[in-house]
């Protein structure tokens, strides 16, 4: 959110990049406003208008204060920034989210940006290798929900264990979510620190105890590189973060997503729509075990996932992004200079009629919201 203002202060070209779509379109809703059921092109379009104006409304006052006091720039408005002209470099695969036809020419879907082998000193321990290579016909799945903080980590472990046992699979379980909760508990006030730490330790021991009850079926890890593990297993279960989703799809693995918030619902629905896996909104033994049986036995789903994975592995996302930067460099700088000129001109015209400290931001924002003018031309309902 700050980059655009710093670009104006430096008068340099400005690009934006994100691992999820944030540009207005009628093809699908804003990732933070994914409904339970499709609501149509009009709804999709409006989610971007509302989200952008809500965010600007929340940050406008502090942003303009930062511009004046730190960057030495006059106040601005959302419309004067000409956000719709900013070139975007979206770091996800066009095979997963094809570029909508209503995106402008400087909105690029480049393909994923993978950092291969980031943990160069990492090597699997003997126990993990033995678990993967064990002569067991049951397929192996990975289950991990990243750094999500949950209220009851023991309940999640219980659901996972029971679901795995019911599904005739083996599982490598990453417990990142519960350790984050324990860390949070241990940072509370000094008077409660001892009690909270003891409670976290007890809860942690309960989780380890239930996992260790089935050593031939469940293997617990704190973390493991996805690019190493995913190609060696049958399917992945996770929270639907953009990076984990990309890693699983690149490996050609059927995917189960249990979204918790934000864009995770968007990726979960995308995976299910493409026939690459399942999206389960409620984490229950019934839902998870049913999804595990599907991803571990459906050969057609595995075939489709492998085909998509092959396409993703052929992409050159980083190189494509670099080419797009060179192609749109002058356009990006022109937007920066146009925004500077509009802001300077407006402030010059209004400076003689405004009282000291008065800011026209609120009035401009209301006018913009009513007209929906955040892209070229007036907003119109879907056909």
């Amino acid at each position: 959110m700050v980059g655009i203002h710093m670009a104006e202060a430096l008068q340099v070209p400005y690009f934006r990049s994100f691992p999820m779509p944030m540009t207005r379109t009628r093809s699908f809703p804003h990732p933070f406003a994914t409904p339970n059921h499709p609501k149509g092109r009009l709804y999709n379009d409006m989610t971007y208008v509302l989200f952008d104006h809500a965010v600007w409304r929340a940050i406008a006052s502090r942003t303009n204060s930062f511009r004046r006091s730190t960057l030495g720039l006059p106040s601005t408005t959302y419309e004067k920034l000409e956000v719709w002209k900013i070139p975007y470099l979206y770091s996800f695969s066009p095979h997963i989210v094809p570029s909508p036809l209503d995106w402008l020419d400087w909105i690029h879907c480049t393909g994923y940006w993978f950092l291969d082998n980031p943990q160069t000193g990492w090597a699997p321990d003997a126990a993990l290798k033995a678990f993967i290579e064990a002569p067991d016909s049951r397929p192996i799945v990975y289950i991990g929900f990243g750094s999500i903080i949950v209220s009851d980590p023991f309940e999640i472990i219980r659901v996972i264990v029971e679901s795995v046992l019911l599904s005739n699979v083996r599982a490598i379980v990453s417990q990142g979510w519960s350790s984050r909760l324990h860390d949070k508990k241990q940072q509370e006030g000094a008077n409660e620190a001892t009690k909270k730490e003891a409670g976290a330790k007890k809860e942690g021991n309960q989780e380890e105890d239930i996992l260790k009850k089935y050593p031939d079926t469940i293997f617990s890890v704190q973390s493991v590189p996805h690019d190493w593990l995913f190609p060696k297993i049958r399917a992945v279960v996770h929270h639907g973060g953009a990076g984990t989703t990309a890693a699983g799809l690149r490996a050609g693995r059927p995917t189960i997503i249990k979204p918790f918030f934000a864009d995770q619902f968007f990726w979960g629905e995308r995976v299910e729509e493409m026939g690459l896996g399942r999206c389960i909104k409620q984490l229950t033994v019934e839902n998870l075990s049913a999804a595990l049986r599907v991803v571990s036995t459906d050969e057609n789903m595995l075939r489709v996932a492998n085909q998509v994975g092959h396409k993703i592995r052929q992409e050159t996302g980083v190189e494509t992004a670099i080419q797009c930067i060179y192609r749109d460099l002058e356009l990006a700088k022109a937007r920066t200079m146009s925004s500077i000129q509009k802001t300077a001109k407006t402030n010059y015209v209004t400076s003689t009629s405004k009282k000291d400290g008065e800011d026209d931001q609120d009035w401009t924002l209301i006018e913009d919201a009513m007209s929906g003018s955040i892209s070229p031309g007036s907003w119109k309902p879907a056909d």
Side-chain angles (χ1 to χ4, degrees):
M1 297 179 185
V2 177
I4 188 171
H5 309 288
M6 298 172 71
E8 286 195 9
L10 297 171
Q11 298 189 19
V12 296
Y14 173 66
F15 292 76
R16 278 184 172 171
S17 178
F18 224 55
M20 67 193 77
M22 302 290 283
T23 299
R24 182 178 176 181
T25 179
R26 298 180 183 184
S27 297
F28 44 77
H30 193 288
F32 291 1
T34 302
N36 289 329
H37 304 285
K39 295 185 180 296
R41 293 166 64 82
L42 177 60
Y43 171 86
N44 295 343
D45 191 64
M46 284 298 298
T47 58
Y48 294 88
V49 176
L50 295 175
F51 180 85
D52 286 350
H53 279 100
V55 170
W56 178 250
R57 182 75 174 185
I59 69 173
S61 177
R62 290 187 179 183
T63 296
N64 281 322
S65 175
F66 172 75
R67 285 173 63 93
R68 292 189 299 265
S69 63
T70 303
L71 300 181
L73 296 173
S75 298
T76 189
T77 67
Y78 189 88
E79 189 169 53
K80 293 171 191 172
L81 288 172
E82 298 183 314
V83 174
W84 62 273
K85 287 185 178 180
I86 297 172
Y88 253 99
L89 306 172
Y90 282 121
S91 55
F92 49 76
S93 171
H95 296 294
I96 306 303
V97 184
S99 295
L101 296 177
D102 53 358
W103 276 4
L104 296 169
D105 191 44
W106 49 85
I107 310 299
H108 305 287
C109 186
T110 66
Y112 289 117
W113 304 351
F114 290 108
L115 180 61
D116 290 321
N117 301 315
Q119 301 180 34
T120 54
W122 184 88
D125 61 39
L128 176 58
K129 288 188 66 177
F131 183 83
I132 294 174
E133 297 171 0
D136 193 314
S137 61
R138 292 175 296 173
I140 301 176
V141 299
Y142 165 85
I143 303 177
F145 299 119
S147 56
I148 297 296
I149 298 178
V150 296
S151 59
D152 191 350
F154 180 76
E155 175 62 14
I156 287 187
I157 290 292
R158 185 193 68 80
V159 170
I160 288 173
V161 170
E162 291 188 20
S163 300
V164 168
L165 295 176
L166 287 171
S167 306
N168 194 38
V169 298
R170 296 191 295 148
I172 296 173
V173 179
S174 176
Q175 290 181 255
W177 67 88
S178 53
S179 64
R180 280 283 299 274
L181 182 64
H182 296 169
D183 292 342
K184 183 180 179 182
K185 287 182 177 180
Q186 292 170 3
Q187 292 172 2
E188 294 180 354
N191 292 336
E192 296 293 325
T194 302
K195 182 167 62 175
K196 292 294 183 181
E197 184 175 355
K201 184 176 180 180
K202 180 180 179 181
E203 188 177 51
N205 289 339
Q206 288 179 322
E207 295 167 18
E208 290 299 328
D209 289 344
I210 192 173
L211 289 173
K212 289 179 179 179
K213 286 176 65 176
Y214 310 97
D216 295 332
T217 301
I218 299 174
F219 188 92
S220 176
V221 296
Q222 286 301 314
S223 64
V224 59
H226 295 161
D227 60 338
W228 178 86
L229 177 64
F230 287 0
K232 304 178 187 302
I233 60 179
R234 168 68 189 226
V236 296
V237 183
H238 55 79
H239 56 299
T244 312
T245 301
L249 296 177
R250 183 198 198 190
R253 301 301 90 181
T255 299
I256 298 172
I257 290 179
K258 163 57 185 86
F260 289 84
F261 64 91
D263 64 310
Q264 297 166 8
F265 291 89
F266 176 83
W267 296 118
E269 293 196 357
R270 196 76 199 100
V271 162
E272 186 159 300
E273 288 171 0
M274 294 184 67
L276 301 171
R278 291 288 184 267
C279 177
I280 55 176
K281 304 293 179 63
Q282 299 294 326
L283 187 63
T284 65
V285 173
E286 181 181 10
N287 290 343
L288 182 55
S289 61
L292 283 172
R293 285 191 290 271
V294 171
V295 298
S296 62
T297 60
D298 190 330
E299 293 302 321
N300 183 63
M301 180 178 288
L302 178 61
R303 180 182 58 80
V304 173
N306 275 323
Q307 291 175 347
V308 171
H310 176 74
K311 292 177 180 178
I312 291 174
R313 292 191 294 272
Q314 302 307 306
E315 295 174 352
T316 55
V318 174
E319 289 83 352
T320 301
I322 293 171
Q323 293 171 6
C324 292
I325 290 173
Y326 279 108
R327 198 200 80 162
D328 290 339
L329 202 61
E330 292 304 317
L331 184 149
K333 186 168 185 179
R335 188 225 58 84
T336 297
M337 301 311 295
S338 174
S339 180
I340 293 172
Q341 292 166 3
K342 280 194 173 186
T343 302
K345 180 179 179 181
T346 304
N347 277 274
Y348 174 78
V349 170
T350 60
S351 60
T352 57
S353 61
K354 288 175 62 177
K355 298 178 182 179
D356 291 342
E358 185 180 355
D359 193 340
D360 68 344
Q361 180 57 54
D362 288 346
W363 296 99
T364 303
L365 183 61
I366 293 172
E367 181 182 347
D368 291 350
M370 293 176 65
S371 65
S373 54
I374 66 167
S375 62
S378 300
W379 178 86
K380 297 178 182 178
D383 295 334

